[in-house]
């Protein structure tokens, strides 16, 4: 017969194992929300799609130039559909131009540090008012195109939503892949780019917050209302819980449950939200399905990881 101390030790071990199983079960996200298995090169390939989206949107809307106009030979591929010079106030125009130009440096640094070579293949982008209007149609839960239509180039308030969306894709993907990047040079590069993009994201959200009670012409809802609606849509399409938030949130979602202001969104500990590649594709495609292109990328994303996701029909 086992001694009493041995029996206690055995029961304690069982309890510990049971606790660990419960902890692991709770902490492990469902398969459709986990980071994909991919090489460091494939992860950089993936983020290039969204870096190019941001640059083309920012530069063409501010100074009517694309990447190759600034740095010839850095990229190669089709011109974006529907790009236009936006009706921005002068201060915002300079900020958007600055952020677009800076990201060209990020592209060049990726080519110089990783196994990727120039010219970088460009995805087919659709940054037309019609493409962005798909988002608003979904936001308004309308079966028809929203009337009046949403045009991101019409005014500063409208454009800032498109700009924040583009920065958010990068910001959340950086947060998701940072721990898994292999190679000290590659980790240092990604960290440097991610820190810069975090600043861009915060600056753009601050610009929106300064307009939080203003309307978004030609609509009657305010900037604050629209940030909440776009966050709800992103979370719905992403399919993995709350990872986007508006500028005004309930007290229980504010920092330390003490504020409704939410310029920089974060989780319960105010840590940055991370999204997997498939989550971001579901949102950018506007289809809620990572294997069904549409929205801002009508022909899908470039790179081995998106091709694998589409081939395997991973939604």
């Amino acid at each position: 017969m086992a001694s009493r101390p041995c029996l206690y030790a055995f029961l304690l071990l069982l309890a510990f194992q049971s606790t660990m199983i419960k902890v692991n079960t709770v902490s492990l996200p469902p398969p459709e929300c986990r980071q994909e298995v991919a090489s460091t090169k494939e992860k950089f390939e993936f983020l290039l799609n969204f870096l190019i989206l941001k640059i083309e949107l920012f530069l063409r809307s501010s100074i009517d130039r694309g990447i190759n106009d600034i740095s010839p030979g850095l990229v190669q591929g089709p011109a974006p559909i529907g790009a236009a010079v936006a009706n921005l106030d002068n201060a915002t125009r300079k900020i958007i131009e600055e952020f677009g130009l800076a990201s060209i440096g990020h592209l060049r640094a990726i080519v110089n540090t990783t196994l990727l070579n120039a010219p970088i293949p460009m995805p087919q982008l659709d940054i037309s008012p019609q493409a962005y209007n798909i988002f608003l149609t979904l936001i308004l839960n309308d079966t028809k195109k929203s009337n009046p239509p949403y045009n991101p180039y019409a005014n500063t308030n409208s454009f800032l939503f498109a700009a924040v969306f583009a920065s958010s894709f990068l910001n959340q993907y950086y947060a998701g892949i940072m721990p898994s990047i292999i190679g000290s040079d590659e980790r240092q590069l990604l960290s440097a780019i991610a820190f810069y993009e975090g600043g861009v994201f915060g600056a753009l959200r601050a610009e929106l917050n300064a307009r939080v009670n203003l309307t978004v012409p030609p609509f009657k809802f305010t900037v604050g209302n629209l940030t909440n609606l776009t966050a709800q849509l992103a979370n719905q399409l992403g399919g993995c819980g709350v990872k986007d938030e508006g500028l005004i949130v309930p007290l229980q979602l504010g920092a330390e449950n003490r504020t409704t202001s939410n310029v920089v969104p974060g989780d319960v500990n105010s840590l940055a939200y991370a999204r997997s590649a498939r989550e971001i594709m579901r949102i950018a495609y506007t289809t809620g399905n990572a294997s069904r292109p549409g929205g801002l990328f009508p022909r899908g994303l470039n790179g081995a990881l998106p091709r694998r996701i589409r081939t395997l029909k991973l939604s």
Side-chain angles (χ1 to χ4, degrees):
M1 181 176 179
S3 66
R4 185 166 297 183
C6 289
L7 181 60
Y8 286 162
F10 177 70
L11 293 175
L12 184 61
L13 179 61
L14 284 179
F16 176 75
Q17 289 177 333
S18 176
T19 301
M20 289 302 295
I21 291 171
K22 290 178 181 178
V23 169
N24 289 336
T25 302
V26 170
S27 64
L28 193 64
E32 66 273 14
C33 299
R34 297 174 195 168
Q35 288 293 331
E36 297 77 14
V37 176
S39 68
T40 291
K41 179 183 177 181
E42 289 173 340
K43 291 169 184 175
F44 273 102
E45 273 183 339
F46 182 89
L47 71 86
L48 286 175
N49 290 279
F50 292 93
L51 198 53
I52 290 170
L53 166 66
K54 175 195 168 188
I55 299 169
E56 290 289 325
L57 175 66
F58 282 30
L59 291 184
R60 292 185 183 275
S61 63
S62 62
I63 58 174
D64 197 22
R65 296 289 186 272
I67 295 170
N68 275 337
D69 295 316
I70 306 299
S71 184
L74 186 56
V75 297
Q76 181 178 3
I81 298 169
V85 176
N87 182 26
L88 304 174
D89 63 70
N90 288 335
T92 303
R93 187 179 305 280
K94 293 302 293 181
I95 292 172
I96 296 301
E97 177 188 0
E98 174 196 341
F99 292 161
L101 291 171
S103 288
I104 289 183
H106 299 166
L107 278 183
R108 190 180 303 109
I110 290 172
V111 169
N112 291 340
T113 305
T114 68
L115 296 175
L116 302 172
N117 299 314
I120 301 166
M122 286 182 62
Q124 177 63 74
L125 300 174
D126 187 349
I127 51 177
S128 65
Q130 292 77 15
Y132 281 101
N133 201 49
I134 296 173
F135 287 98
L136 197 70
T137 301
L138 293 171
I139 287 170
L140 298 178
N141 197 25
D142 195 346
T143 56
K144 301 177 181 179
K145 297 293 183 184
S146 67
N147 188 21
Y150 169 68
N151 181 357
Y153 305 107
N155 53 72
T156 298
N157 290 359
S158 293
F159 180 78
L160 283 171
F161 281 97
V164 167
F165 229 48
S167 180
S168 177
F169 290 139
L170 287 167
N171 213 43
Q172 293 190 330
Y173 190 60
Y174 291 146
I177 66 173
M178 188 88 70
S180 62
I181 294 298
I182 297 174
S184 59
D185 290 343
E186 289 82 357
R187 284 196 299 271
Q188 185 175 353
L189 171 65
L190 188 69
S191 297
I193 297 175
F195 288 149
Y196 185 92
E197 194 60 47
V200 169
F201 181 64
L204 293 173
R205 292 266 299 192
E207 287 290 319
L208 277 179
N209 192 59
R211 300 166 168 81
V212 68
N213 293 318
L214 301 180
T215 59
V216 183
F219 306 100
K220 294 182 179 180
F221 43 67
T222 66
V223 168
N225 295 147
L226 190 53
T227 61
N228 290 329
L229 291 170
T230 54
Q232 291 170 18
L233 176 63
N235 292 328
Q236 177 186 336
L237 291 174
C240 295
V242 175
K243 296 186 179 182
D244 276 89
E245 297 172 344
L247 289 168
I248 305 296
V249 295
L251 201 61
Q252 63 268 27
L253 292 181
E256 296 303 300
N257 310 128
R258 290 173 179 268
T259 179
T260 59
S261 174
N262 196 45
V263 176
V264 180
D267 66 11
V268 66
N269 292 314
S270 295
L271 302 179
Y273 288 115
R275 285 195 187 278
S276 68
R278 280 187 291 165
E279 288 178 74
I280 294 172
M281 292 167 74
R282 293 173 198 138
I283 300 168
Y285 289 170
T286 70
T287 61
N289 187 327
S291 63
R292 186 152 54 92
L296 304 176
F297 296 91
R299 297 181 189 170
L301 303 181
N302 289 337
L305 178 56
R307 285 195 297 271
R308 192 158 63 245
I309 288 171
R310 191 188 300 190
T311 301
L312 297 176
K313 296 182 179 180
L314 301 173
S315 62

